[in-house]
Amino acid sequence: MRVNLRNTRIKQGYKDVDKLANAIGISASYYYKIEQGKRTPGIDLAKKIADVLDQTVDDLFLNQNLDEMSRKQKEQEVC
């Protein structure tokens, strides 16, 4: 799950995903899949999402992936 994406959405006042999805130009169900990590947006869509949420693509998507990679690496080191 992309927790940072969800937290940013709520912080920016988009508690209703339908409004954000409409602003981006996608369905709410597709946006939920992106937020849940079941779909990965292309660069153009990621940029639209970042623009609407007044963030960078890196802040919304890359930092989360790096955090998960670091966590998985630490888990492997423990085992």
PDB file of all heavy atoms in Angstrom, residues 6-38:
ATOM      1  N   ARG A   6      -1.846   7.962   0.165  1.00  0.00           N
ATOM      2  CA  ARG A   6      -3.118   8.070   0.877  1.00  0.00           C
ATOM      3  C   ARG A   6      -3.097   9.236   1.867  1.00  0.00           C
ATOM      4  O   ARG A   6      -4.021  10.057   1.922  1.00  0.00           O
ATOM      5  CB  ARG A   6      -3.421   6.769   1.626  1.00  0.00           C
ATOM      6  CG  ARG A   6      -4.729   6.805   2.378  1.00  0.00           C
ATOM      7  CD  ARG A   6      -4.954   5.482   3.133  1.00  0.00           C
ATOM      8  NE  ARG A   6      -6.223   5.487   3.808  1.00  0.00           N
ATOM      9  CZ  ARG A   6      -6.449   6.039   4.994  1.00  0.00           C
ATOM     10  NH1 ARG A   6      -5.469   6.643   5.644  1.00  0.00           N
ATOM     11  NH2 ARG A   6      -7.640   6.000   5.542  1.00  0.00           N
ATOM     12  N   ASN A   7      -2.034   9.320   2.653  1.00  0.00           N
ATOM     13  CA  ASN A   7      -1.929  10.396   3.646  1.00  0.00           C
ATOM     14  C   ASN A   7      -1.913  11.774   2.988  1.00  0.00           C
ATOM     15  O   ASN A   7      -2.538  12.711   3.491  1.00  0.00           O
ATOM     16  CB  ASN A   7      -0.681  10.204   4.506  1.00  0.00           C
ATOM     17  CG  ASN A   7      -0.799   9.022   5.439  1.00  0.00           C
ATOM     18  OD1 ASN A   7      -1.888   8.517   5.701  1.00  0.00           O
ATOM     19  ND2 ASN A   7       0.329   8.549   5.928  1.00  0.00           N
ATOM     20  N   THR A   8      -1.212  11.888   1.873  1.00  0.00           N
ATOM     21  CA  THR A   8      -1.158  13.163   1.159  1.00  0.00           C
ATOM     22  C   THR A   8      -2.530  13.524   0.607  1.00  0.00           C
ATOM     23  O   THR A   8      -2.947  14.682   0.683  1.00  0.00           O
ATOM     24  CB  THR A   8      -0.121  13.105   0.026  1.00  0.00           C
ATOM     25  OG1 THR A   8       1.162  12.799   0.591  1.00  0.00           O
ATOM     26  CG2 THR A   8      -0.042  14.412  -0.720  1.00  0.00           C
ATOM     27  N   ARG A   9      -3.230  12.540   0.054  1.00  0.00           N
ATOM     28  CA  ARG A   9      -4.580  12.779  -0.471  1.00  0.00           C
ATOM     29  C   ARG A   9      -5.484  13.352   0.613  1.00  0.00           C
ATOM     30  O   ARG A   9      -6.160  14.365   0.419  1.00  0.00           O
ATOM     31  CB  ARG A   9      -5.173  11.474  -1.009  1.00  0.00           C
ATOM     32  CG  ARG A   9      -6.649  11.587  -1.353  1.00  0.00           C
ATOM     33  CD  ARG A   9      -7.206  10.308  -1.915  1.00  0.00           C
ATOM     34  NE  ARG A   9      -7.096   9.141  -1.067  1.00  0.00           N
ATOM     35  CZ  ARG A   9      -7.953   8.808  -0.091  1.00  0.00           C
ATOM     36  NH1 ARG A   9      -8.964   9.606   0.200  1.00  0.00           N
ATOM     37  NH2 ARG A   9      -7.798   7.699   0.591  1.00  0.00           N
ATOM     38  N   ILE A  10      -5.466  12.731   1.772  1.00  0.00           N
ATOM     39  CA  ILE A  10      -6.325  13.176   2.874  1.00  0.00           C
ATOM     40  C   ILE A  10      -5.886  14.556   3.374  1.00  0.00           C
ATOM     41  O   ILE A  10      -6.717  15.433   3.615  1.00  0.00           O
ATOM     42  CB  ILE A  10      -6.327  12.130   3.998  1.00  0.00           C
ATOM     43  CG1 ILE A  10      -7.033  10.856   3.501  1.00  0.00           C
ATOM     44  CG2 ILE A  10      -7.001  12.666   5.248  1.00  0.00           C
ATOM     45  CD1 ILE A  10      -6.863   9.657   4.411  1.00  0.00           C
ATOM     46  N   LYS A  11      -4.583  14.742   3.491  1.00  0.00           N
ATOM     47  CA  LYS A  11      -4.054  16.023   3.958  1.00  0.00           C
ATOM     48  C   LYS A  11      -4.433  17.167   3.021  1.00  0.00           C
ATOM     49  O   LYS A  11      -4.688  18.288   3.465  1.00  0.00           O
ATOM     50  CB  LYS A  11      -2.530  15.931   4.076  1.00  0.00           C
ATOM     51  CG  LYS A  11      -1.866  17.160   4.622  1.00  0.00           C
ATOM     52  CD  LYS A  11      -0.374  16.954   4.745  1.00  0.00           C
ATOM     53  CE  LYS A  11       0.312  18.208   5.205  1.00  0.00           C
ATOM     54  NZ  LYS A  11       1.776  18.038   5.248  1.00  0.00           N
ATOM     55  N   GLN A  12      -4.508  16.880   1.734  1.00  0.00           N
ATOM     56  CA  GLN A  12      -4.857  17.903   0.751  1.00  0.00           C
ATOM     57  C   GLN A  12      -6.369  18.116   0.641  1.00  0.00           C
ATOM     58  O   GLN A  12      -6.830  18.886  -0.188  1.00  0.00           O
ATOM     59  CB  GLN A  12      -4.285  17.533  -0.625  1.00  0.00           C
ATOM     60  CG  GLN A  12      -2.777  17.560  -0.696  1.00  0.00           C
ATOM     61  CD  GLN A  12      -2.214  18.963  -0.547  1.00  0.00           C
ATOM     62  OE1 GLN A  12      -2.890  19.963  -0.760  1.00  0.00           O
ATOM     63  NE2 GLN A  12      -0.957  19.040  -0.148  1.00  0.00           N
ATOM     64  N   GLY A  13      -7.141  17.419   1.475  1.00  0.00           N
ATOM     65  CA  GLY A  13      -8.577  17.646   1.514  1.00  0.00           C
ATOM     66  C   GLY A  13      -9.397  16.748   0.611  1.00  0.00           C
ATOM     67  O   GLY A  13     -10.583  16.983   0.420  1.00  0.00           O
ATOM     68  N   TYR A  14      -8.779  15.730   0.055  1.00  0.00           N
ATOM     69  CA  TYR A  14      -9.499  14.795  -0.821  1.00  0.00           C
ATOM     70  C   TYR A  14      -9.874  13.538  -0.042  1.00  0.00           C
ATOM     71  O   TYR A  14      -9.382  12.445  -0.311  1.00  0.00           O
ATOM     72  CB  TYR A  14      -8.649  14.416  -2.038  1.00  0.00           C
ATOM     73  CG  TYR A  14      -8.486  15.523  -3.041  1.00  0.00           C
ATOM     74  CD1 TYR A  14      -7.322  16.284  -3.090  1.00  0.00           C
ATOM     75  CD2 TYR A  14      -9.499  15.809  -3.947  1.00  0.00           C
ATOM     76  CE1 TYR A  14      -7.171  17.294  -4.027  1.00  0.00           C
ATOM     77  CE2 TYR A  14      -9.361  16.821  -4.878  1.00  0.00           C
ATOM     78  CZ  TYR A  14      -8.193  17.553  -4.917  1.00  0.00           C
ATOM     79  OH  TYR A  14      -8.051  18.557  -5.841  1.00  0.00           O
ATOM     80  N   LYS A  15     -10.763  13.692   0.919  1.00  0.00           N
ATOM     81  CA  LYS A  15     -11.228  12.521   1.668  1.00  0.00           C
ATOM     82  C   LYS A  15     -12.102  11.646   0.777  1.00  0.00           C
ATOM     83  O   LYS A  15     -12.152  10.440   0.931  1.00  0.00           O
ATOM     84  CB  LYS A  15     -11.978  12.952   2.919  1.00  0.00           C
ATOM     85  CG  LYS A  15     -11.058  13.617   3.913  1.00  0.00           C
ATOM     86  CD  LYS A  15     -11.770  14.052   5.154  1.00  0.00           C
ATOM     87  CE  LYS A  15     -10.769  14.750   6.064  1.00  0.00           C
ATOM     88  NZ  LYS A  15     -11.377  15.299   7.250  1.00  0.00           N
ATOM     89  N   ASP A  16     -12.786  12.276  -0.164  1.00  0.00           N
ATOM     90  CA  ASP A  16     -13.610  11.576  -1.135  1.00  0.00           C
ATOM     91  C   ASP A  16     -12.765  11.303  -2.382  1.00  0.00           C
ATOM     92  O   ASP A  16     -12.388  12.223  -3.104  1.00  0.00           O
ATOM     93  CB  ASP A  16     -14.821  12.433  -1.489  1.00  0.00           C
ATOM     94  CG  ASP A  16     -15.766  11.773  -2.464  1.00  0.00           C
ATOM     95  OD1 ASP A  16     -15.542  10.593  -2.813  1.00  0.00           O
ATOM     96  OD2 ASP A  16     -16.729  12.424  -2.869  1.00  0.00           O
ATOM     97  N   VAL A  17     -12.451  10.049  -2.624  1.00  0.00           N
ATOM     98  CA  VAL A  17     -11.592   9.670  -3.744  1.00  0.00           C
ATOM     99  C   VAL A  17     -12.221  10.044  -5.084  1.00  0.00           C
ATOM    100  O   VAL A  17     -11.507  10.358  -6.027  1.00  0.00           O
ATOM    101  CB  VAL A  17     -11.270   8.158  -3.682  1.00  0.00           C
ATOM    102  CG1 VAL A  17     -10.550   7.696  -4.918  1.00  0.00           C
ATOM    103  CG2 VAL A  17     -10.438   7.861  -2.454  1.00  0.00           C
ATOM    104  N   ASP A  18     -13.542  10.050  -5.153  1.00  0.00           N
ATOM    105  CA  ASP A  18     -14.209  10.391  -6.410  1.00  0.00           C
ATOM    106  C   ASP A  18     -13.799  11.775  -6.911  1.00  0.00           C
ATOM    107  O   ASP A  18     -13.571  11.968  -8.099  1.00  0.00           O
ATOM    108  CB  ASP A  18     -15.732  10.332  -6.254  1.00  0.00           C
ATOM    109  CG  ASP A  18     -16.247   8.919  -6.079  1.00  0.00           C
ATOM    110  OD1 ASP A  18     -15.667   7.994  -6.684  1.00  0.00           O
ATOM    111  OD2 ASP A  18     -17.222   8.735  -5.336  1.00  0.00           O
ATOM    112  N   LYS A  19     -13.706  12.739  -6.007  1.00  0.00           N
ATOM    113  CA  LYS A  19     -13.337  14.101  -6.402  1.00  0.00           C
ATOM    114  C   LYS A  19     -11.912  14.149  -6.946  1.00  0.00           C
ATOM    115  O   LYS A  19     -11.646  14.805  -7.951  1.00  0.00           O
ATOM    116  CB  LYS A  19     -13.473  15.058  -5.217  1.00  0.00           C
ATOM    117  CG  LYS A  19     -14.907  15.316  -4.819  1.00  0.00           C
ATOM    118  CD  LYS A  19     -15.000  16.267  -3.655  1.00  0.00           C
ATOM    119  CE  LYS A  19     -16.441  16.451  -3.239  1.00  0.00           C
ATOM    120  NZ  LYS A  19     -16.558  17.342  -2.084  1.00  0.00           N
ATOM    121  N   LEU A  20     -11.004  13.458  -6.285  1.00  0.00           N
ATOM    122  CA  LEU A  20      -9.620  13.419  -6.750  1.00  0.00           C
ATOM    123  C   LEU A  20      -9.526  12.701  -8.084  1.00  0.00           C
ATOM    124  O   LEU A  20      -8.869  13.182  -9.010  1.00  0.00           O
ATOM    125  CB  LEU A  20      -8.715  12.746  -5.720  1.00  0.00           C
ATOM    126  CG  LEU A  20      -7.254  12.587  -6.132  1.00  0.00           C
ATOM    127  CD1 LEU A  20      -6.612  13.935  -6.409  1.00  0.00           C
ATOM    128  CD2 LEU A  20      -6.488  11.842  -5.058  1.00  0.00           C
ATOM    129  N   ALA A  21     -10.190  11.569  -8.192  1.00  0.00           N
ATOM    130  CA  ALA A  21     -10.162  10.802  -9.440  1.00  0.00           C
ATOM    131  C   ALA A  21     -10.706  11.639 -10.596  1.00  0.00           C
ATOM    132  O   ALA A  21     -10.129  11.630 -11.698  1.00  0.00           O
ATOM    133  CB  ALA A  21     -10.955   9.518  -9.278  1.00  0.00           C
ATOM    134  N   ASN A  22     -11.783  12.375 -10.358  1.00  0.00           N
ATOM    135  CA  ASN A  22     -12.339  13.248 -11.402  1.00  0.00           C
ATOM    136  C   ASN A  22     -11.353  14.342 -11.792  1.00  0.00           C
ATOM    137  O   ASN A  22     -11.221  14.671 -12.962  1.00  0.00           O
ATOM    138  CB  ASN A  22     -13.656  13.872 -10.942  1.00  0.00           C
ATOM    139  CG  ASN A  22     -14.798  12.891 -10.979  1.00  0.00           C
ATOM    140  OD1 ASN A  22     -14.778  11.912 -11.723  1.00  0.00           O
ATOM    141  ND2 ASN A  22     -15.807  13.136 -10.167  1.00  0.00           N
ATOM    142  N   ALA A  23     -10.667  14.915 -10.802  1.00  0.00           N
ATOM    143  CA  ALA A  23      -9.684  15.963 -11.085  1.00  0.00           C
ATOM    144  C   ALA A  23      -8.518  15.423 -11.916  1.00  0.00           C
ATOM    145  O   ALA A  23      -7.952  16.139 -12.743  1.00  0.00           O
ATOM    146  CB  ALA A  23      -9.169  16.567  -9.781  1.00  0.00           C
ATOM    147  N   ILE A  24      -8.189  14.161 -11.704  1.00  0.00           N
ATOM    148  CA  ILE A  24      -7.087  13.535 -12.435  1.00  0.00           C
ATOM    149  C   ILE A  24      -7.551  13.042 -13.807  1.00  0.00           C
ATOM    150  O   ILE A  24      -6.791  13.006 -14.760  1.00  0.00           O
ATOM    151  CB  ILE A  24      -6.502  12.359 -11.620  1.00  0.00           C
ATOM    152  CG1 ILE A  24      -5.919  12.875 -10.305  1.00  0.00           C
ATOM    153  CG2 ILE A  24      -5.452  11.605 -12.405  1.00  0.00           C
ATOM    154  CD1 ILE A  24      -5.623  11.791  -9.298  1.00  0.00           C
ATOM    155  N   GLY A  25      -8.821  12.633 -13.878  1.00  0.00           N
ATOM    156  CA  GLY A  25      -9.359  12.120 -15.137  1.00  0.00           C
ATOM    157  C   GLY A  25      -9.378  10.605 -15.223  1.00  0.00           C
ATOM    158  O   GLY A  25      -9.284  10.037 -16.313  1.00  0.00           O
ATOM    159  N   ILE A  26      -9.478   9.938 -14.055  1.00  0.00           N
ATOM    160  CA  ILE A  26      -9.548   8.476 -14.020  1.00  0.00           C
ATOM    161  C   ILE A  26     -10.712   8.068 -13.122  1.00  0.00           C
ATOM    162  O   ILE A  26     -11.280   8.901 -12.416  1.00  0.00           O
ATOM    163  CB  ILE A  26      -8.234   7.836 -13.502  1.00  0.00           C
ATOM    164  CG1 ILE A  26      -7.911   8.322 -12.083  1.00  0.00           C
ATOM    165  CG2 ILE A  26      -7.088   8.134 -14.461  1.00  0.00           C
ATOM    166  CD1 ILE A  26      -6.706   7.640 -11.458  1.00  0.00           C
ATOM    167  N   SER A  27     -11.033   6.784 -13.138  1.00  0.00           N
ATOM    168  CA  SER A  27     -12.112   6.305 -12.269  1.00  0.00           C
ATOM    169  C   SER A  27     -11.615   6.186 -10.833  1.00  0.00           C
ATOM    170  O   SER A  27     -10.417   6.012 -10.586  1.00  0.00           O
ATOM    171  CB  SER A  27     -12.625   4.949 -12.749  1.00  0.00           C
ATOM    172  OG  SER A  27     -11.647   3.954 -12.542  1.00  0.00           O
ATOM    173  N   ALA A  28     -12.539   6.261  -9.900  1.00  0.00           N
ATOM    174  CA  ALA A  28     -12.187   6.119  -8.488  1.00  0.00           C
ATOM    175  C   ALA A  28     -11.633   4.729  -8.208  1.00  0.00           C
ATOM    176  O   ALA A  28     -10.683   4.579  -7.435  1.00  0.00           O
ATOM    177  CB  ALA A  28     -13.403   6.389  -7.612  1.00  0.00           C
ATOM    178  N   SER A  29     -12.184   3.712  -8.860  1.00  0.00           N
ATOM    179  CA  SER A  29     -11.708   2.347  -8.619  1.00  0.00           C
ATOM    180  C   SER A  29     -10.269   2.180  -9.096  1.00  0.00           C
ATOM    181  O   SER A  29      -9.470   1.503  -8.445  1.00  0.00           O
ATOM    182  CB  SER A  29     -12.616   1.310  -9.278  1.00  0.00           C
ATOM    183  OG  SER A  29     -12.599   1.443 -10.675  1.00  0.00           O
ATOM    184  N   TYR A  30      -9.912   2.816 -10.208  1.00  0.00           N
ATOM    185  CA  TYR A  30      -8.525   2.733 -10.685  1.00  0.00           C
ATOM    186  C   TYR A  30      -7.589   3.469  -9.727  1.00  0.00           C
ATOM    187  O   TYR A  30      -6.507   2.995  -9.415  1.00  0.00           O
ATOM    188  CB  TYR A  30      -8.404   3.292 -12.100  1.00  0.00           C
ATOM    189  CG  TYR A  30      -7.050   3.030 -12.713  1.00  0.00           C
ATOM    190  CD1 TYR A  30      -6.683   1.752 -13.094  1.00  0.00           C
ATOM    191  CD2 TYR A  30      -6.133   4.051 -12.890  1.00  0.00           C
ATOM    192  CE1 TYR A  30      -5.434   1.498 -13.634  1.00  0.00           C
ATOM    193  CE2 TYR A  30      -4.892   3.815 -13.426  1.00  0.00           C
ATOM    194  CZ  TYR A  30      -4.541   2.531 -13.804  1.00  0.00           C
ATOM    195  OH  TYR A  30      -3.298   2.276 -14.326  1.00  0.00           O
ATOM    196  N   TYR A  31      -8.037   4.625  -9.235  1.00  0.00           N
ATOM    197  CA  TYR A  31      -7.209   5.360  -8.281  1.00  0.00           C
ATOM    198  C   TYR A  31      -6.975   4.523  -7.024  1.00  0.00           C
ATOM    199  O   TYR A  31      -5.858   4.459  -6.512  1.00  0.00           O
ATOM    200  CB  TYR A  31      -7.825   6.713  -7.899  1.00  0.00           C
ATOM    201  CG  TYR A  31      -6.952   7.411  -6.899  1.00  0.00           C
ATOM    202  CD1 TYR A  31      -5.839   8.121  -7.313  1.00  0.00           C
ATOM    203  CD2 TYR A  31      -7.184   7.275  -5.531  1.00  0.00           C
ATOM    204  CE1 TYR A  31      -4.983   8.703  -6.384  1.00  0.00           C
ATOM    205  CE2 TYR A  31      -6.341   7.859  -4.600  1.00  0.00           C
ATOM    206  CZ  TYR A  31      -5.250   8.564  -5.032  1.00  0.00           C
ATOM    207  OH  TYR A  31      -4.397   9.121  -4.126  1.00  0.00           O
ATOM    208  N   TYR A  32      -8.027   3.871  -6.529  1.00  0.00           N
ATOM    209  CA  TYR A  32      -7.876   3.012  -5.348  1.00  0.00           C
ATOM    210  C   TYR A  32      -6.831   1.929  -5.596  1.00  0.00           C
ATOM    211  O   TYR A  32      -6.030   1.614  -4.718  1.00  0.00           O
ATOM    212  CB  TYR A  32      -9.204   2.334  -4.978  1.00  0.00           C
ATOM    213  CG  TYR A  32     -10.063   3.124  -4.029  1.00  0.00           C
ATOM    214  CD1 TYR A  32     -11.381   3.411  -4.358  1.00  0.00           C
ATOM    215  CD2 TYR A  32      -9.592   3.562  -2.803  1.00  0.00           C
ATOM    216  CE1 TYR A  32     -12.196   4.127  -3.488  1.00  0.00           C
ATOM    217  CE2 TYR A  32     -10.396   4.281  -1.933  1.00  0.00           C
ATOM    218  CZ  TYR A  32     -11.694   4.552  -2.284  1.00  0.00           C
ATOM    219  OH  TYR A  32     -12.482   5.259  -1.423  1.00  0.00           O
ATOM    220  N   LYS A  33      -6.835   1.365  -6.784  1.00  0.00           N
ATOM    221  CA  LYS A  33      -5.860   0.322  -7.107  1.00  0.00           C
ATOM    222  C   LYS A  33      -4.437   0.875  -7.090  1.00  0.00           C
ATOM    223  O   LYS A  33      -3.510   0.200  -6.657  1.00  0.00           O
ATOM    224  CB  LYS A  33      -6.188  -0.324  -8.450  1.00  0.00           C
ATOM    225  CG  LYS A  33      -7.425  -1.189  -8.388  1.00  0.00           C
ATOM    226  CD  LYS A  33      -7.782  -1.763  -9.734  1.00  0.00           C
ATOM    227  CE  LYS A  33      -9.083  -2.553  -9.620  1.00  0.00           C
ATOM    228  NZ  LYS A  33      -9.535  -3.051 -10.906  1.00  0.00           N
ATOM    229  N   ILE A  34      -4.274   2.103  -7.548  1.00  0.00           N
ATOM    230  CA  ILE A  34      -2.956   2.739  -7.489  1.00  0.00           C
ATOM    231  C   ILE A  34      -2.551   2.944  -6.031  1.00  0.00           C
ATOM    232  O   ILE A  34      -1.432   2.623  -5.632  1.00  0.00           O
ATOM    233  CB  ILE A  34      -2.961   4.086  -8.244  1.00  0.00           C
ATOM    234  CG1 ILE A  34      -3.159   3.847  -9.746  1.00  0.00           C
ATOM    235  CG2 ILE A  34      -1.676   4.868  -7.969  1.00  0.00           C
ATOM    236  CD1 ILE A  34      -3.419   5.113 -10.539  1.00  0.00           C
ATOM    237  N   GLU A  35      -3.480   3.463  -5.244  1.00  0.00           N
ATOM    238  CA  GLU A  35      -3.192   3.734  -3.834  1.00  0.00           C
ATOM    239  C   GLU A  35      -2.887   2.453  -3.056  1.00  0.00           C
ATOM    240  O   GLU A  35      -2.069   2.443  -2.154  1.00  0.00           O
ATOM    241  CB  GLU A  35      -4.381   4.466  -3.212  1.00  0.00           C
ATOM    242  CG  GLU A  35      -4.046   5.199  -1.949  1.00  0.00           C
ATOM    243  CD  GLU A  35      -5.165   6.100  -1.491  1.00  0.00           C
ATOM    244  OE1 GLU A  35      -5.191   7.282  -1.910  1.00  0.00           O
ATOM    245  OE2 GLU A  35      -6.007   5.629  -0.711  1.00  0.00           O
ATOM    246  N   GLN A  36      -3.545   1.378  -3.418  1.00  0.00           N
ATOM    247  CA  GLN A  36      -3.334   0.102  -2.743  1.00  0.00           C
ATOM    248  C   GLN A  36      -2.093  -0.623  -3.245  1.00  0.00           C
ATOM    249  O   GLN A  36      -1.694  -1.641  -2.688  1.00  0.00           O
ATOM    250  CB  GLN A  36      -4.551  -0.799  -2.937  1.00  0.00           C
ATOM    251  CG  GLN A  36      -5.778  -0.283  -2.234  1.00  0.00           C
ATOM    252  CD  GLN A  36      -7.039  -1.024  -2.645  1.00  0.00           C
ATOM    253  OE1 GLN A  36      -7.055  -1.775  -3.605  1.00  0.00           O
ATOM    254  NE2 GLN A  36      -8.114  -0.796  -1.901  1.00  0.00           N
ATOM    255  N   GLY A  37      -1.475  -0.112  -4.302  1.00  0.00           N
ATOM    256  CA  GLY A  37      -0.282  -0.740  -4.847  1.00  0.00           C
ATOM    257  C   GLY A  37      -0.575  -1.875  -5.805  1.00  0.00           C
ATOM    258  O   GLY A  37       0.329  -2.600  -6.207  1.00  0.00           O
ATOM    259  N   LYS A  38      -1.834  -2.023  -6.198  1.00  0.00           N
ATOM    260  CA  LYS A  38      -2.205  -3.086  -7.139  1.00  0.00           C
ATOM    261  C   LYS A  38      -1.954  -2.676  -8.587  1.00  0.00           C
ATOM    262  O   LYS A  38      -1.875  -3.527  -9.461  1.00  0.00           O
ATOM    263  CB  LYS A  38      -3.680  -3.463  -6.957  1.00  0.00           C
ATOM    264  CG  LYS A  38      -3.951  -4.104  -5.614  1.00  0.00           C
ATOM    265  CD  LYS A  38      -5.408  -4.453  -5.450  1.00  0.00           C
ATOM    266  CE  LYS A  38      -5.649  -5.105  -4.094  1.00  0.00           C
ATOM    267  NZ  LYS A  38      -7.065  -5.415  -3.882  1.00  0.00           N
TER     268      LYS A  38
END
